[in-house]
Amino acid sequence: MTGPDEPVVLTAEGLAARITLNRPRALNALTAPMVERIDQALAHWEHDPTVETVVITGAGERGLCAGGDIRSIYEDARAGGSASAAFWRDEYRLNARIARYPKPYVAVMDGIVMGGGVGVSAHGSVRIVTERSRIAMPETGIGFVPDVGGTYLLGLAPGELGTHLALTGTPVGAADALLCGLADHFVPSDRLPRLLADLTTTVVWDALERHVRQPPPGELEGHRAWIDSCYRSGTVEEIMARLRAHPDPEAARAAETLATKSPTALKVTLAALRRARRLGPLEHVLEQEYRTSCAALSSHDLTEGIRAQVIDKDRAPQWSPGTLAEVSDVDVDRFFAPPESSGPESGPGPGPGFGLGLAPLASAQEVPW
């Protein structure tokens, strides 16, 4: 196990092993050593007969995890380095391990859960939200594209809800996370300590039965009509036009939100979502996301978006290209092209295993529990 001051605290009690993300001042943002430590722990516990359930939580009162350390990504991108690509390779492999984990993996998605935080939670087999949960994939606001399997998850959401969330980066609460398939159970936050205690002595399903409740009402169900109508369009330009023309004021607000995002990121995100629905298993989508992420690393908008939102905090990014009309199909296709050369870990060429070397996800019938 690990000490209380480590960025990832690992403990075991009774039937449960627990991962605590422990960088509360940084809202538990993930770093490369944290990803490696979590992966090592999961590999060990998978074969430990004393561990029946794995639980992941975040330290502090603000949330599980706000994502990756984007300041590090900013510095790496500016320097033309490769550290971010190496981090994403390990992170996406961890996401795939979580999705295929042979034991119950309980993610407590309390508070803020964004970006990489979604990756270490929403692929789990038991995903718990509370009245404090705020879940989002806000990447288009920093010139990036949803990753960590986000395009896979949002592509599976009912209708076009996932398209709306991916393009706007809108955070959702408990009921909407359940509606979109990002979570499984609602547990009031004041019951979490008792649930975690019960998991050390009781199998997960019996523990859940004692604490799961009905969530407060959400918002997205009431917006399905205009969301599905506007976002089913094949281009971002047409989506924007439909949103602006729709009589519901919430549609107009969504259009205003989209107008602040990176035009390139919006077009690549829409293409990634549409492609993800046809790719099949999560692993194949992660391969695609690895390509789009690495391509973004050399783009203007990623560093500019991080600068505006996190470094200088002026909230005034200067996107390039600056309009949707200026983003060509060639610009979008560049994000999905295989890397020009393949390193020793990326495989011999394009295809389902190119970049990450992941095997397809096991079917539900193959999971023993």
Side-chain angles (χ1 to χ4, degrees), residues 207-231:
L208 285 170
E209 187 175 11
R210 300 171 186 172
H211 302 288
V212 170
R213 299 290 185 270
Q214 287 296 316
E219 300 177 4
L220 288 180
E221 187 63 57
H223 298 317
R224 281 290 302 274
W226 66 262
I227 287 176
D228 288 350
S229 173
C230 295
Y231 285 96

Side-chain angles (χ1 to χ4, degrees), residues 139-141 143-146 167 262-270 301:
E139 285 77 9
T140 57
F144 198 45
V145 180
L167 294 181
S262 159
T264 300
L266 288 175
K267 285 199 170 185
V268 175
T269 295
L270 183 62
D301 280 7

Side-chain angles (χ1 to χ4, degrees), residues 24-36:
R25 291 186 178 180
L27 228 169
N28 302 319
L30 295 171
T31 63
M34 291 171 71
V35 166
E36 181 180 9

